Amino acid sequence: MTDLLAIDDLTIRHAGRPLVAGVSFAIAPGERVGLIGESGSGKSLTALAAIGLLPEGMTASGSIRLAGRQLVGAADRDIVGLRGSVVATIFQEPLTALDPLMRIGNQIAEVVRRRARRDGQPVDVQAEVLALMARVALPEPRRLARAYPHEMSGGQRQRAAIAMALACKPRLLIADEPTTALDVTTQAEVLRLLEALVREDGMGLLFIGHDLPVVGAAVDRVLVLRGGELVEAGPVAEVFGRPRHPYTIGLVEAARTFDRAIGAAL
Ligand SMILES: Nc1ncnc2c1ncn2[C@@H]1O[C@H](COP(=O)(O)OP(=O)(O)O)[C@@H](O)[C@H]1O
Ligand SMILES: [Mg+2]
């Protein structure tokens, strides 16, 4: 089966300086992959390159295939079409995905309409919006659909952003630190929801984070990025149980120490 995402020898440069160097990995349909590493290690740039949305002034070399089609060097128009039909993204700050001046139900409806046009299939927009809101466990969908983003909590906004991602019916979901901006309890809830949705729909997942236990709980396989280079990759149990690279050993050790400290404090 064709990989949803296949990245081969990806290097991302800014002003001649490599920020990501020689990164290769692939995600098969339904596979859940975690990308971890400290802040500034190149996680977000890798994700942005994967959807053809690198910031101004950055260049990518190597190969990035989305559902078999090459992104590096492709025309913007083709990239937009390909992105729309294969992948949806959720970012750390849900407000970046939401329009502050539009009721949340209308924002989700817009995505549903766009997808219906793309697939050439008629849809009962209102019914689907309410179903999506219920699916991400937003309370009282009928009432909340009329709310503006500033009237919602951070957790509700991130659930709404997830509903918009699901409305695209993506085959691959890229979630870049989707729970980092939320308080710890809400983090756990949103994470459990994401995990359940990905499993139910059989979506591929690229889950980005810096917290090893959080990422490990949501994926099958992890990649460890450091200073723009992949230093370790493998099944979660293997990387956590027998980390090989000194950097990964440090990450695992730090997570264990933290767990012990929490345990001692309880
Ligand atoms: N728009 C930009 N212009 C210049 N440098 C950037 C830009 N975005 C990110 N960088 C640099 O690229 C590196 C990787 O960034 P990023 O992928 O955002 O890291 P992460 O998501 O792992 O925290 C960092 O050193 C960061 O400073
Ligand atoms: Mg980032």
Side-chain angles (χ1 to χ4, degrees):
M1 224 180 330
T2 310
D3 286 322
L4 293 173
L5 174 65
I7 290 183
D8 194 31
D9 200 18
L10 171 67
T11 294
I12 301 172
R13 287 196 172 79
H14 178 70
R17 197 164 66 95
L19 297 172
V20 168
V23 164
S24 302
F25 67 94
I27 302 179
E31 198 182 18
R32 304 172 305 166
V33 175
L35 182 58
I36 57 177
E38 64 201 351
S39 176
S41 56
K43 304 182 298 294
S44 292
L45 287 182
T46 301
L48 289 171
I51 53 174
L53 274 182
L54 277 178
E56 197 71 23
M58 302 232 177
T59 54
S61 64
S63 163
I64 302 170
R65 286 176 177 278
L66 257 188
R69 304 248 313 271
Q70 182 60 249
L71 281 196
V72 176
D76 285 349
R77 213 175 143 257
D78 296 336
I79 293 177
V80 170
L82 192 55
R83 185 163 61 222
S85 64
V86 178
V87 57
T89 45
I90 306 168
F91 294 102
Q92 176 171 335
E93 182 40 75
L95 284 179
T96 56
L98 303 176
D99 181 339
L101 301 177
M102 209 171 157
R103 294 181 200 276
I104 200 69
N106 290 341
Q107 302 194 43
I108 301 173
E110 217 166 67
V111 183
V112 170
R113 274 190 214 102
R114 207 183 316 138
R115 189 215 62 230
R117 270 200 303 276
R118 174 193 88 196
D119 294 348
Q121 283 181 346
V123 63
D124 180 342
V125 175
Q126 205 199 346
E128 186 167 332
V129 168
L130 294 176
L132 281 165
M133 291 181 73
R135 208 166 164 225
V136 297
L138 279 168
E140 299 185 67
R142 258 172 215 288
R143 188 185 58 80
L144 199 68
R146 301 187 53 77
Y148 291 94
H150 75 267
E151 299 172 310
M152 300 161 64
S153 71
Q156 289 178 341
R157 287 197 287 255
Q158 194 58 294
R159 285 170 195 273
I162 294 171
M164 286 165 71
L166 293 180
C168 304
K169 292 209 196 304
R171 285 190 276 159
L172 174 67
L173 185 67
I174 298 182
D176 189 353
E177 312 230 19
T179 63
T180 306
L182 307 173
D183 67 74
V184 177
T185 315
T186 315
Q187 257 188 33
E189 285 168 10
V190 171
L191 196 68
R192 257 199 304 276
L193 171 73
L194 251 185
E195 200 197 350
L197 293 170
V198 167
R199 211 165 348 95
E200 283 162 20
D201 286 6
M203 274 182 273
L205 175 69
L206 179 61
F207 185 91
I208 296 174
H210 57 268
D211 188 329
L212 237 83
V214 167
V215 175
V219 300
D220 314 302
R221 207 151 58 77
V222 281
L223 312 162
V224 182
L225 199 56
R226 185 180 195 209
E229 292 180 34
L230 277 188
V231 295
E232 189 142 355
V236 172
E238 222 167 84
V239 172
F240 285 8
R242 274 170 284 130
R244 279 185 294 239
H245 192 276
Y247 177 67
T248 321
I249 294 173
L251 279 183
V252 171
E253 210 27 66
R256 289 217 181 97
T257 308
F258 183 70
D259 275 355
R260 272 200 298 274
I262 295 276
L266 289 175

